[in-house]
């Protein structure tokens, strides 16, 4: 039986439109990043990447991502367990609250942290008298990065855990397994791929966050410059090739994330087929 | 249709970990999400109502609202059309390269916004690949309002595609077979049979894209040109005030942005809740 849009000319038209538009708006920018980065040869690219300030920015960016992931992981799993395994008043409110970081502009996210923990804020001024500086230093970068990335793991886990239901865990507990044993042996194997996908998303965002970080970092070269801030500085200094060298590194991480996502989805669809 | 887990309130406390997961979640949400917002109110408390109004209704700030809302609306509409097309093609047709195209749809979320920003600015500047083609035709994108809309559209592409796609996948084949066998043309059948199923998801996705565009910063500032009154977005306005150490001004403008985006988020959530209940409600 023929379905809507199955006529050959409609089909051809829609597929070509989709391919053309995607090539123009998605593929072309991707190609441009690498074309610009290597526009003066591999040697120039390499010297831009292995430059002291770039290496420092890479190190800081990776450190922030590595510290962010476990925090988001613990929070995401706890929240998903809470809202999918128990019924209590305020459950929906919690689920709405975790979406806040998606709606808040990154600049506003940076600003609210700066106001609270900066020298003029009520926590910041107390910290200042104890010689603790969070803003314009790496702890501030870490704090805003956690703010912008914290929904990802929870958002991946909640629909899955809701769909799976709690029958398996209830069986395990009824048969005498302890809470942790149940979690490690029953829950975790069921959610590991969604968990991994949540980590990939968290990492991609943590590595690339710009707006929030640029408000709280101070962007001191060799100290508080993450890779996205570093490429902005190079770009503003008219060092386009240098900027795109850093951009290419970030784009590579993005491509690896996409590949990992496609791999996980392929795995999931194969498992569903059985 | 996929079966939703049947969830019996009252019978669920068999499982342990309620206290621990509640403790972690509430502590985290309070410290990370809610406490910082008090800093904003603290700063605003130092302003009188008249001062507050003067800041948020100043000419340059109002111009930035107009630019941001206008460009975000255009970007959202463009994304609604593009997203619908992509979701349709990815669900309904088989063709070589389909999996790659599907993966490519998520690129704007995976790619850091600053990278998107400098790339689009370079591509659409007069010397860039696209700008070099368009500018001789009298069509300038970079450093204009069109560039802002383009950057907003780019960063929010996945929203519509990824909200419409699953709904389209769940649509049973009988729906369009019935329409076609009764002699409807493609256009009529799509409008009368498919669209009523799709539009709640389409509205949700478009709404999310709009909210995201309102707050976007990194992807826009490079291509925008940032001319006061003309191509300055509100997020940049806040950033500029901060760099001038005008914390009160920055907070006042930020409170407007925060209020608008949280209100829209709440509306989208309510809308989505109603629509999910309508889809699955009668079946459980």
């Amino acid at each position: 039986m023929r379905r809507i849009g199955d006529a050959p000319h409609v089909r051809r038209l829609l597929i070509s439109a989709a391919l053309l538009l995607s090539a123009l708006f998605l593929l072309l920018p991707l190609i441009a990043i690498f074309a610009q980065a290597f526009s003066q040869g591999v040697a120039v690219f390499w010297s831009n990447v292995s430059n002291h300030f770039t290496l420092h920015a890479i190190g800081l960016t990776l450190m922030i991502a590595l510290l962010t992931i476990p925090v988001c992981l613990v929070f995401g799993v706890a929240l998903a367990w809470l809202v999918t395994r128990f019924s209590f008043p305020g459950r929906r409110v919690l689920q709405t609250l975790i979406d806040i970081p998606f709606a808040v502009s990154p600049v506003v996210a940076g600003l609210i942290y700066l106001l609270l923990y900066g020298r003029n804020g009520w926590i910041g001024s107390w910290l200042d008298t104890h010689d603790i500086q969070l803003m314009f230093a790496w702890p501030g970068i870490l704090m805003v990065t956690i703010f912008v990335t914290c929904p990802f793991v929870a958002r991946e886990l909640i629909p899955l855990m809701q769909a799976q239901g709690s029958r398996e865990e209830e069986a395990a507990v009824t048969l005498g397994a302890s809470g942790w044993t149940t979690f490690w042996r029953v829950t975790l194997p069921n959610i590991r791929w969604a968990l991994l996908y949540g980590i990939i998303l968290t990492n991609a965002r943590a590595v690339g966050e710009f707006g929030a970080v640029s408000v709280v970092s101070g962007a001191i070269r060799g100290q508080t410059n993450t890779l996205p801030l570093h490429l902005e500085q190079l770009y503003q200094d008219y060092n386009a090739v240098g900027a795109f060298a850093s951009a290419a590194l970030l784009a590579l991480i993005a491509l690896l994330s996409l590949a990992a996502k496609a791999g996980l989805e392929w795995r999931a669809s194969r498992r569903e087929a059985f | 249709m996929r079966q939703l887990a049947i969830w019996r309130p009252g019978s669920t406390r068999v499982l342990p970990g309620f206290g621990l997961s509640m403790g972690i979640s509430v502590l985290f949400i309070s410290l990370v999400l809610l406490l910082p917002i008090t800093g904003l109110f603290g700063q605003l408390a130092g302003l009188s109502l008249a001062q507050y109004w003067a800041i948020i209704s100043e000419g340059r700030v109002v111009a930035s609202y107009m630019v941001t809302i206008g460009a975000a609306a255009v970007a959202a509409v463009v994304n609604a059309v593009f997203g619908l097309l992509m979701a349709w093609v990815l669900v309904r047709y088989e063709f070589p390269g389909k999996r790659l195209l599907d993966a490519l749809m998520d690129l704007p979320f995976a790619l850091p916004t600053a990278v998107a920003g400098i790339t689009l600015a370079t591509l659409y500047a007069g010397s860039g690949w696209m700008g070099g083609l368009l500018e001789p035709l009298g069509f300038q994108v970079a450093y204009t309002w069109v560039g802002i809309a383009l950057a907003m559209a780019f960063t929010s592409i996945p929203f519509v595609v990824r909200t419409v796609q699953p709904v389209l996948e769940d649509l049973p084949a009988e729906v369009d077979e019935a329409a076609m066998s009764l002699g409807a043309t493609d256009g009529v059948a799509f409008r009368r049979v498919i669209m009523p199923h799709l539009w709640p998801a389409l509205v949700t996705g478009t709404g999310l894209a709009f909210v995201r565009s309102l707050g976007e910063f990194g992807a826009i500032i490079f291509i925008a040109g940032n001319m006061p009154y003309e191509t300055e977005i509100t997020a940049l306005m806040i950033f500029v005030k901060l760099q001038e150490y005008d914390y009160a001004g920055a907070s006042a403008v930020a409170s407007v942005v925060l209020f608008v985006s949280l209100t829209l988020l709440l509306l989208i959530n309510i809308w989505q809740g109603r629509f999910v209940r309508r889809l699955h409600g009668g079946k459980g």
Side-chain angles (χ1 to χ4, degrees):
Chain A
M1 181 56 101
R2 206 166 79 83
R3 302 184 73 186
I4 296 172
D6 263 358
H9 66 279
V10 176
R11 205 187 127 88
R12 257 200 305 273
L13 179 77
L14 292 179
I15 293 177
S16 354
L19 288 176
L20 188 74
L21 289 172
S22 305
L24 203 60
F25 290 113
L26 292 165
L27 201 57
L28 189 68
L30 194 58
I31 295 168
I33 298 170
F34 293 99
Q36 291 282 339
F38 291 101
S39 60
Q40 287 171 23
V42 178
V44 176
F45 171 81
W46 186 247
S47 78
N48 272 315
V49 169
S50 57
N51 160 306
H52 166 72
F53 291 124
T54 311
L55 287 179
H56 186 275
I58 294 172
L60 180 63
T61 305
L62 291 181
M63 180 188 91
I64 297 290
L66 280 179
L67 291 173
T68 302
I69 290 168
V71 176
C72 291
L73 205 57
V74 170
F75 165 67
V77 171
L79 186 78
W81 181 264
L82 181 69
V83 302
T84 62
R85 295 297 179 256
F86 303 106
S87 144
F88 55 93
R91 206 171 61 94
R92 272 192 64 95
V93 178
L94 280 185
Q95 273 180 283
T96 306
L97 283 175
I98 57 149
D99 280 343
I100 289 179
F102 283 160
V104 170
S105 169
V107 177
V108 175
L111 171 75
I112 60 179
Y113 270 83
L114 183 61
L115 290 174
L116 186 64
Y117 295 100
R119 203 168 285 175
N120 300 320
W122 61 269
I123 295 180
S125 57
W126 182 83
L127 290 171
D128 199 41
T129 58
H130 292 77
D131 271 331
I132 301 171
Q133 192 191 359
L134 297 180
M135 293 297 114
F136 307 116
W138 70 262
I141 300 176
L142 177 64
M143 289 159 83
V144 296
T145 306
I146 290 173
F147 177 91
V148 296
T149 55
C150 68
F152 287 112
V153 174
R155 294 276 313 228
E156 281 310 308
L157 291 184
I158 290 171
L160 178 74
M161 287 173 67
Q162 210 139 40
Q164 284 176 343
S166 51
R167 254 164 275 154
E168 287 183 34
E169 281 109 352
E170 279 167 6
V173 170
T174 318
L175 291 173
S178 76
W180 287 115
T181 311
T182 308
F183 178 77
W184 287 111
R185 307 279 293 266
V186 180
T187 311
L188 204 59
N190 279 334
I191 61 168
R192 60 187 164 182
W193 300 114
L195 206 59
L196 188 59
Y197 182 41
I199 294 173
I200 292 168
L201 288 176
T202 306
N203 179 61
R205 185 71 201 265
V207 163
E209 180 47 36
F210 176 75
V213 169
S214 69
V215 172
V216 300
S217 107
I220 308 158
R221 250 174 228 196
Q223 283 183 40
T224 60
N225 230 7
T226 63
L227 206 48
L229 296 176
H230 182 63
L231 80 85
E232 184 217 2
Q233 277 181 352
L234 293 174
Y235 188 79
Q236 308 287 16
D237 291 345
Y238 300 101
N239 181 359
V241 178
F244 276 101
S246 294
L249 293 179
L250 289 168
L252 193 66
I253 296 176
L255 287 177
L256 290 176
S257 307
L258 290 184
K261 179 188 183 235
L264 288 178
E265 272 169 1
W266 178 71
R267 210 195 151 87
S269 70
R270 223 178 38 153
R271 277 166 44 133
E272 240 169 56
F274 283 117
Chain B
M1 193 147 290
R2 206 176 301 139
Q3 214 197 336
L4 277 189
I6 301 162
W7 205 68
R8 295 141 314 200
S11 69
T12 38
R13 292 287 165 85
V14 182
L15 294 177
F18 180 75
L20 181 66
S21 59
M22 179 66 110
I24 294 175
S25 302
V26 169
L27 185 73
F28 186 92
I29 288 178
S30 311
L31 283 181
V32 174
L33 300 183
L34 300 178
L35 180 68
I37 298 182
T38 64
L40 187 70
F41 288 115
Q43 187 65 235
L44 289 176
L47 289 171
S48 75
L49 206 60
Q51 284 172 314
Y52 179 73
W53 180 251
I55 295 169
I56 64 168
S57 64
E58 186 217 324
R60 186 172 159 193
V61 178
V62 172
S64 83
Y65 301 148
M66 295 303 176
V67 171
T68 311
I69 294 173
V74 171
V77 171
V78 169
N79 262 326
V81 177
F82 179 73
L84 191 58
L85 170 71
M86 295 314 299
W88 180 266
V89 168
L90 286 173
V91 172
R92 288 301 182 98
Y93 303 138
E94 291 300 327
F95 52 94
K98 178 174 155 172
R99 293 179 58 86
L100 214 59
L101 189 67
D102 194 22
L104 196 63
M105 283 303 115
D106 283 320
L107 178 72
F109 281 178
L111 198 67
T113 53
V115 174
I118 64 167
T119 308
L120 292 174
T122 306
L123 267 179
Y124 287 88
S127 55
W129 295 345
M130 293 298 292
L133 280 174
L134 293 171
E135 282 192 10
L137 303 171
F139 203 72
Q140 202 186 347
V141 175
Y143 317 123
T144 69
W145 183 90
V146 183
I148 298 178
L150 176 79
M152 285 176 171
F154 178 84
T155 49
S156 51
I157 282 174
F159 282 114
V160 178
V161 186
R162 296 304 185 213
T163 44
V164 172
Q165 213 175 359
V167 181
L168 207 50
E169 269 164 6
D170 279 349
L171 212 60
E174 300 87 66
V175 170
D176 42 330
E177 281 168 9
M180 297 310 276
S181 62
L182 292 172
T185 62
D186 275 350
V188 172
F190 181 77
R191 228 178 28 246
R192 307 279 294 266
V193 179
I194 306 280
M195 266 322 256
H197 289 275
L198 286 192
W199 70 269
L202 188 63
V203 171
T204 305
T206 311
L208 290 171
F210 181 71
V211 176
R212 169 73 196 257
S213 298
L214 286 184
E216 185 47 48
F217 177 69
I220 299 173
I221 53 167
F222 300 100
I223 201 173
N226 307 326
M227 285 277 294
Y229 294 97
E230 281 174 29
T231 55
E232 201 171 45
I233 55 164
T234 309
L236 180 73
M237 207 62 248
I238 299 169
F239 195 77
V240 168
K241 283 184 185 293
L242 266 180
Q243 291 200 312
E244 294 163 351
Y245 299 103
D246 178 8
Y247 284 17
S251 314
V253 179
S255 70
V256 175
V257 176
L258 193 65
F259 177 76
V260 171
S261 42
L262 290 184
T263 308
L264 285 172
L265 176 71
L266 196 67
L267 289 178
I268 293 172
N269 262 320
I270 293 171
W271 166 264
Q272 207 172 10
R274 181 169 298 173
F275 138 66
V276 170
R277 225 171 304 139
R278 217 187 64 190
L279 270 186
H280 301 287
K283 309 245 159 77

